[in-house]
Amino acid sequence: MTEDAPRRRPTLDEVAGLAGVSRSVASRALNNAPHVSRAKREAVERAVRQLGYVPDPTARALATRQTGAAALVVSGEDPSIFADPFYAQVIVGASAALEEADLHLMLCLAASDRGRKRVEELFRSRIADGVMLMALREGDPLARMAEGAAVPVVFGGRPVGPAPRWYVDVDNAGGAREAAEYLVSLGRTRVAALCGRLDTEAGRARYRGYRDAMLAAGLEPFPPQEGDFTERSGAAAMAALLAQHPDVDGVFAANDHMGVGALRTLRGAGRRVPEDVAVVGFDDLAAAQVSDPPLTTVHQPIQALGREMARMLAALVGGQAPTPLLLPTRLVVRASA
């Protein structure tokens, strides 16, 4: 007579699957961690009873260190940055994804030495289960801090330099290349670029895309006319461009804010858009739809950027191993080009 084989112990993944929740939510529910809804907690408890699940003591000890919170850190100087339509959309996307994972969203602005010290403490002390990090400039100390973080860090947009292990970005170079190719297809031969900050990877990548399209068309790229992604800087950059190159007939602006600023300067200078100068922006914010004229622009999926950052972070918190993600862009044609 043979003995029955020992019964395999149910796993936490099986509990999560039966309960219809993520692994990290099941783990927090079993350990009475915060930010788990009553309905999900009860679903996990039912699955545990049905499967006869017994938690592993070592895994339980690790899970109890989770806080149920994720932080979105923006490296910037202006506290009003979270009111920017771009970051507002990122927050909407991230918040929705974190809610699905039962993670609470914390917002942090590293705008000063004190702010950066608080973020460093966030990296080291597990105040949050993970961090989403955005708006880094070249040489930003937050990138160095993130390398030794005790929690997973997901970058929103690649920083200047080597790509980090986990990031979500959009195809900045590809979108800019499509914008410049479109301007050239309209018969424009004196196409300039109003660049964003060139100490950011987004600013550099968008200029590279513009330059590559111009060279492929056999046209001479203009030197970068740098701004800082604001409407004010777009207006100033357009004024400087007109002073240096009055025969310009096409403009690619690194974002919609700068594009709207360029439209204002062109109107003040008596230049007709698009008859005299065609203009294309980047982002597809609401401002592009209501500008005068409405702005042709490169659409990037901003809410999806926030959502995928949060999903990647939740996967890391739950013990999974996601890979970097590059989101596509597309051209939206309106009246300015």
Side-chain angles (χ1 to χ4, degrees), residues 36-57:
V36 180
S37 68
R38 180 177 178 179
K40 291 182 179 180
R41 196 180 298 275
E42 290 175 351
V44 170
E45 291 171 354
R46 286 195 300 271
V48 166
R49 289 193 298 270
Q50 184 173 335
L51 294 171
Y53 173 77
V54 178
D56 179 89

PDB file of all heavy atoms in Angstrom, residues 36-57:
ATOM      1  N   VAL A  36      -6.616  48.994   2.410  1.00  0.00           N
ATOM      2  CA  VAL A  36      -7.257  47.876   1.733  1.00  0.00           C
ATOM      3  C   VAL A  36      -8.752  47.987   2.011  1.00  0.00           C
ATOM      4  O   VAL A  36      -9.169  48.029   3.169  1.00  0.00           O
ATOM      5  CB  VAL A  36      -6.725  46.517   2.221  1.00  0.00           C
ATOM      6  CG1 VAL A  36      -7.426  45.377   1.475  1.00  0.00           C
ATOM      7  CG2 VAL A  36      -5.219  46.422   2.016  1.00  0.00           C
ATOM      8  N   SER A  37      -9.563  48.025   0.956  1.00  0.00           N
ATOM      9  CA  SER A  37     -10.999  48.197   1.141  1.00  0.00           C
ATOM     10  C   SER A  37     -11.600  46.985   1.856  1.00  0.00           C
ATOM     11  O   SER A  37     -11.063  45.872   1.806  1.00  0.00           O
ATOM     12  CB  SER A  37     -11.688  48.398  -0.205  1.00  0.00           C
ATOM     13  OG  SER A  37     -11.625  47.210  -0.975  1.00  0.00           O
ATOM     14  N   ARG A  38     -12.726  47.221   2.503  1.00  0.00           N
ATOM     15  CA  ARG A  38     -13.394  46.139   3.232  1.00  0.00           C
ATOM     16  C   ARG A  38     -13.782  45.010   2.291  1.00  0.00           C
ATOM     17  O   ARG A  38     -13.625  43.824   2.625  1.00  0.00           O
ATOM     18  CB  ARG A  38     -14.636  46.692   3.943  1.00  0.00           C
ATOM     19  CG  ARG A  38     -15.406  45.649   4.731  1.00  0.00           C
ATOM     20  CD  ARG A  38     -16.571  46.287   5.470  1.00  0.00           C
ATOM     21  NE  ARG A  38     -17.348  45.278   6.191  1.00  0.00           N
ATOM     22  CZ  ARG A  38     -18.404  45.548   6.940  1.00  0.00           C
ATOM     23  NH1 ARG A  38     -18.822  46.806   7.067  1.00  0.00           N
ATOM     24  NH2 ARG A  38     -19.052  44.575   7.552  1.00  0.00           N
ATOM     25  N   ALA A  39     -14.294  45.356   1.102  1.00  0.00           N
ATOM     26  CA  ALA A  39     -14.718  44.331   0.154  1.00  0.00           C
ATOM     27  C   ALA A  39     -13.558  43.444  -0.270  1.00  0.00           C
ATOM     28  O   ALA A  39     -13.688  42.212  -0.328  1.00  0.00           O
ATOM     29  CB  ALA A  39     -15.357  44.993  -1.069  1.00  0.00           C
ATOM     30  N   LYS A  40     -12.407  44.040  -0.547  1.00  0.00           N
ATOM     31  CA  LYS A  40     -11.252  43.250  -0.970  1.00  0.00           C
ATOM     32  C   LYS A  40     -10.694  42.430   0.190  1.00  0.00           C
ATOM     33  O   LYS A  40     -10.260  41.286   0.005  1.00  0.00           O
ATOM     34  CB  LYS A  40     -10.182  44.165  -1.567  1.00  0.00           C
ATOM     35  CG  LYS A  40     -10.598  44.762  -2.901  1.00  0.00           C
ATOM     36  CD  LYS A  40      -9.508  45.619  -3.511  1.00  0.00           C
ATOM     37  CE  LYS A  40      -9.957  46.171  -4.869  1.00  0.00           C
ATOM     38  NZ  LYS A  40      -8.928  47.016  -5.503  1.00  0.00           N
ATOM     39  N   ARG A  41     -10.720  43.011   1.392  1.00  0.00           N
ATOM     40  CA  ARG A  41     -10.234  42.269   2.563  1.00  0.00           C
ATOM     41  C   ARG A  41     -11.106  41.020   2.791  1.00  0.00           C
ATOM     42  O   ARG A  41     -10.599  39.932   3.061  1.00  0.00           O
ATOM     43  CB  ARG A  41     -10.256  43.179   3.789  1.00  0.00           C
ATOM     44  CG  ARG A  41      -9.439  42.656   4.962  1.00  0.00           C
ATOM     45  CD  ARG A  41      -9.512  43.627   6.139  1.00  0.00           C
ATOM     46  NE  ARG A  41      -8.950  44.929   5.811  1.00  0.00           N
ATOM     47  CZ  ARG A  41      -7.658  45.225   5.889  1.00  0.00           C
ATOM     48  NH1 ARG A  41      -6.801  44.289   6.285  1.00  0.00           N
ATOM     49  NH2 ARG A  41      -7.226  46.429   5.593  1.00  0.00           N
ATOM     50  N   GLU A  42     -12.433  41.193   2.663  1.00  0.00           N
ATOM     51  CA  GLU A  42     -13.339  40.055   2.859  1.00  0.00           C
ATOM     52  C   GLU A  42     -13.166  39.017   1.756  1.00  0.00           C
ATOM     53  O   GLU A  42     -13.255  37.803   2.013  1.00  0.00           O
ATOM     54  CB  GLU A  42     -14.777  40.557   2.902  1.00  0.00           C
ATOM     55  CG  GLU A  42     -15.103  41.363   4.158  1.00  0.00           C
ATOM     56  CD  GLU A  42     -16.498  41.947   4.129  1.00  0.00           C
ATOM     57  OE1 GLU A  42     -17.159  41.880   3.055  1.00  0.00           O
ATOM     58  OE2 GLU A  42     -16.949  42.460   5.181  1.00  0.00           O
ATOM     59  N   ALA A  43     -12.904  39.465   0.523  1.00  0.00           N
ATOM     60  CA  ALA A  43     -12.684  38.520  -0.578  1.00  0.00           C
ATOM     61  C   ALA A  43     -11.436  37.682  -0.335  1.00  0.00           C
ATOM     62  O   ALA A  43     -11.410  36.470  -0.608  1.00  0.00           O
ATOM     63  CB  ALA A  43     -12.567  39.273  -1.907  1.00  0.00           C
ATOM     64  N   VAL A  44     -10.387  38.317   0.175  1.00  0.00           N
ATOM     65  CA  VAL A  44      -9.152  37.589   0.495  1.00  0.00           C
ATOM     66  C   VAL A  44      -9.407  36.589   1.612  1.00  0.00           C
ATOM     67  O   VAL A  44      -8.935  35.436   1.557  1.00  0.00           O
ATOM     68  CB  VAL A  44      -8.033  38.582   0.875  1.00  0.00           C
ATOM     69  CG1 VAL A  44      -6.819  37.831   1.441  1.00  0.00           C
ATOM     70  CG2 VAL A  44      -7.618  39.417  -0.331  1.00  0.00           C
ATOM     71  N   GLU A  45     -10.137  36.985   2.636  1.00  0.00           N
ATOM     72  CA  GLU A  45     -10.424  36.077   3.747  1.00  0.00           C
ATOM     73  C   GLU A  45     -11.210  34.859   3.274  1.00  0.00           C
ATOM     74  O   GLU A  45     -10.952  33.724   3.701  1.00  0.00           O
ATOM     75  CB  GLU A  45     -11.188  36.831   4.837  1.00  0.00           C
ATOM     76  CG  GLU A  45     -10.347  37.881   5.559  1.00  0.00           C
ATOM     77  CD  GLU A  45     -11.173  38.772   6.472  1.00  0.00           C
ATOM     78  OE1 GLU A  45     -12.419  38.646   6.463  1.00  0.00           O
ATOM     79  OE2 GLU A  45     -10.569  39.593   7.197  1.00  0.00           O
ATOM     80  N   ARG A  46     -12.179  35.058   2.356  1.00  0.00           N
ATOM     81  CA  ARG A  46     -12.937  33.929   1.815  1.00  0.00           C
ATOM     82  C   ARG A  46     -12.030  32.985   1.034  1.00  0.00           C
ATOM     83  O   ARG A  46     -12.144  31.758   1.133  1.00  0.00           O
ATOM     84  CB  ARG A  46     -14.066  34.442   0.912  1.00  0.00           C
ATOM     85  CG  ARG A  46     -15.241  35.052   1.660  1.00  0.00           C
ATOM     86  CD  ARG A  46     -16.458  35.201   0.749  1.00  0.00           C
ATOM     87  NE  ARG A  46     -16.192  36.064  -0.389  1.00  0.00           N
ATOM     88  CZ  ARG A  46     -16.376  37.391  -0.387  1.00  0.00           C
ATOM     89  NH1 ARG A  46     -16.830  37.991   0.708  1.00  0.00           N
ATOM     90  NH2 ARG A  46     -16.122  38.108  -1.476  1.00  0.00           N
ATOM     91  N   ALA A  47     -11.116  33.563   0.233  1.00  0.00           N
ATOM     92  CA  ALA A  47     -10.200  32.737  -0.552  1.00  0.00           C
ATOM     93  C   ALA A  47      -9.266  31.936   0.347  1.00  0.00           C
ATOM     94  O   ALA A  47      -8.968  30.768   0.065  1.00  0.00           O
ATOM     95  CB  ALA A  47      -9.380  33.628  -1.502  1.00  0.00           C
ATOM     96  N   VAL A  48      -8.817  32.538   1.435  1.00  0.00           N
ATOM     97  CA  VAL A  48      -7.944  31.843   2.390  1.00  0.00           C
ATOM     98  C   VAL A  48      -8.672  30.630   2.975  1.00  0.00           C
ATOM     99  O   VAL A  48      -8.119  29.524   3.060  1.00  0.00           O
ATOM    100  CB  VAL A  48      -7.494  32.803   3.514  1.00  0.00           C
ATOM    101  CG1 VAL A  48      -6.889  32.029   4.679  1.00  0.00           C
ATOM    102  CG2 VAL A  48      -6.481  33.808   2.968  1.00  0.00           C
ATOM    103  N   ARG A  49      -9.927  30.835   3.378  1.00  0.00           N
ATOM    104  CA  ARG A  49     -10.692  29.733   3.962  1.00  0.00           C
ATOM    105  C   ARG A  49     -10.949  28.630   2.942  1.00  0.00           C
ATOM    106  O   ARG A  49     -10.840  27.440   3.241  1.00  0.00           O
ATOM    107  CB  ARG A  49     -12.024  30.255   4.511  1.00  0.00           C
ATOM    108  CG  ARG A  49     -11.880  31.114   5.765  1.00  0.00           C
ATOM    109  CD  ARG A  49     -13.229  31.323   6.440  1.00  0.00           C
ATOM    110  NE  ARG A  49     -14.175  32.023   5.586  1.00  0.00           N
ATOM    111  CZ  ARG A  49     -14.313  33.347   5.540  1.00  0.00           C
ATOM    112  NH1 ARG A  49     -13.551  34.115   6.311  1.00  0.00           N
ATOM    113  NH2 ARG A  49     -15.212  33.914   4.749  1.00  0.00           N
ATOM    114  N   GLN A  50     -11.272  29.038   1.706  1.00  0.00           N
ATOM    115  CA  GLN A  50     -11.590  28.056   0.674  1.00  0.00           C
ATOM    116  C   GLN A  50     -10.373  27.218   0.298  1.00  0.00           C
ATOM    117  O   GLN A  50     -10.487  26.004   0.068  1.00  0.00           O
ATOM    118  CB  GLN A  50     -12.138  28.768  -0.558  1.00  0.00           C
ATOM    119  CG  GLN A  50     -12.598  27.827  -1.673  1.00  0.00           C
ATOM    120  CD  GLN A  50     -13.288  28.591  -2.804  1.00  0.00           C
ATOM    121  OE1 GLN A  50     -13.821  29.685  -2.598  1.00  0.00           O
ATOM    122  NE2 GLN A  50     -13.276  28.013  -3.997  1.00  0.00           N
ATOM    123  N   LEU A  51      -9.210  27.858   0.220  1.00  0.00           N
ATOM    124  CA  LEU A  51      -7.993  27.163  -0.200  1.00  0.00           C
ATOM    125  C   LEU A  51      -7.242  26.506   0.953  1.00  0.00           C
ATOM    126  O   LEU A  51      -6.366  25.665   0.732  1.00  0.00           O
ATOM    127  CB  LEU A  51      -7.053  28.141  -0.916  1.00  0.00           C
ATOM    128  CG  LEU A  51      -7.536  28.699  -2.258  1.00  0.00           C
ATOM    129  CD1 LEU A  51      -6.600  29.806  -2.732  1.00  0.00           C
ATOM    130  CD2 LEU A  51      -7.625  27.594  -3.299  1.00  0.00           C
ATOM    131  N   GLY A  52      -7.553  26.924   2.181  1.00  0.00           N
ATOM    132  CA  GLY A  52      -6.790  26.435   3.325  1.00  0.00           C
ATOM    133  C   GLY A  52      -5.390  27.000   3.356  1.00  0.00           C
ATOM    134  O   GLY A  52      -4.426  26.334   3.742  1.00  0.00           O
ATOM    135  N   TYR A  53      -5.276  28.254   2.937  1.00  0.00           N
ATOM    136  CA  TYR A  53      -3.953  28.896   2.850  1.00  0.00           C
ATOM    137  C   TYR A  53      -3.393  29.202   4.233  1.00  0.00           C
ATOM    138  O   TYR A  53      -4.108  29.702   5.110  1.00  0.00           O
ATOM    139  CB  TYR A  53      -4.057  30.184   2.042  1.00  0.00           C
ATOM    140  CG  TYR A  53      -2.784  31.014   2.018  1.00  0.00           C
ATOM    141  CD1 TYR A  53      -1.717  30.642   1.212  1.00  0.00           C
ATOM    142  CD2 TYR A  53      -2.673  32.161   2.809  1.00  0.00           C
ATOM    143  CE1 TYR A  53      -0.557  31.395   1.180  1.00  0.00           C
ATOM    144  CE2 TYR A  53      -1.511  32.913   2.777  1.00  0.00           C
ATOM    145  CZ  TYR A  53      -0.451  32.532   1.970  1.00  0.00           C
ATOM    146  OH  TYR A  53       0.691  33.273   1.957  1.00  0.00           O
ATOM    147  N   VAL A  54      -2.105  28.892   4.432  1.00  0.00           N
ATOM    148  CA  VAL A  54      -1.394  29.224   5.669  1.00  0.00           C
ATOM    149  C   VAL A  54      -0.214  30.111   5.294  1.00  0.00           C
ATOM    150  O   VAL A  54       0.674  29.683   4.537  1.00  0.00           O
ATOM    151  CB  VAL A  54      -0.880  27.964   6.398  1.00  0.00           C
ATOM    152  CG1 VAL A  54      -0.105  28.356   7.646  1.00  0.00           C
ATOM    153  CG2 VAL A  54      -2.037  27.047   6.738  1.00  0.00           C
ATOM    154  N   PRO A  55      -0.162  31.381   5.774  1.00  0.00           N
ATOM    155  CA  PRO A  55       0.930  32.285   5.386  1.00  0.00           C
ATOM    156  C   PRO A  55       2.292  31.770   5.807  1.00  0.00           C
ATOM    157  O   PRO A  55       2.437  31.146   6.865  1.00  0.00           O
ATOM    158  CB  PRO A  55       0.582  33.593   6.120  1.00  0.00           C
ATOM    159  CG  PRO A  55      -0.874  33.474   6.435  1.00  0.00           C
ATOM    160  CD  PRO A  55      -1.132  32.022   6.653  1.00  0.00           C
ATOM    161  N   ASP A  56       3.274  32.014   4.945  1.00  0.00           N
ATOM    162  CA  ASP A  56       4.663  31.704   5.275  1.00  0.00           C
ATOM    163  C   ASP A  56       5.183  32.741   6.265  1.00  0.00           C
ATOM    164  O   ASP A  56       5.077  33.946   6.011  1.00  0.00           O
ATOM    165  CB  ASP A  56       5.509  31.728   3.998  1.00  0.00           C
ATOM    166  CG  ASP A  56       6.962  31.426   4.270  1.00  0.00           C
ATOM    167  OD1 ASP A  56       7.331  30.242   4.252  1.00  0.00           O
ATOM    168  OD2 ASP A  56       7.716  32.379   4.512  1.00  0.00           O
ATOM    169  N   PRO A  57       5.763  32.321   7.391  1.00  0.00           N
ATOM    170  CA  PRO A  57       6.194  33.297   8.412  1.00  0.00           C
ATOM    171  C   PRO A  57       7.206  34.308   7.891  1.00  0.00           C
ATOM    172  O   PRO A  57       7.161  35.485   8.228  1.00  0.00           O
ATOM    173  CB  PRO A  57       6.807  32.408   9.502  1.00  0.00           C
ATOM    174  CG  PRO A  57       6.244  31.050   9.281  1.00  0.00           C
ATOM    175  CD  PRO A  57       5.994  30.936   7.824  1.00  0.00           C
TER     176      PRO A  57
END
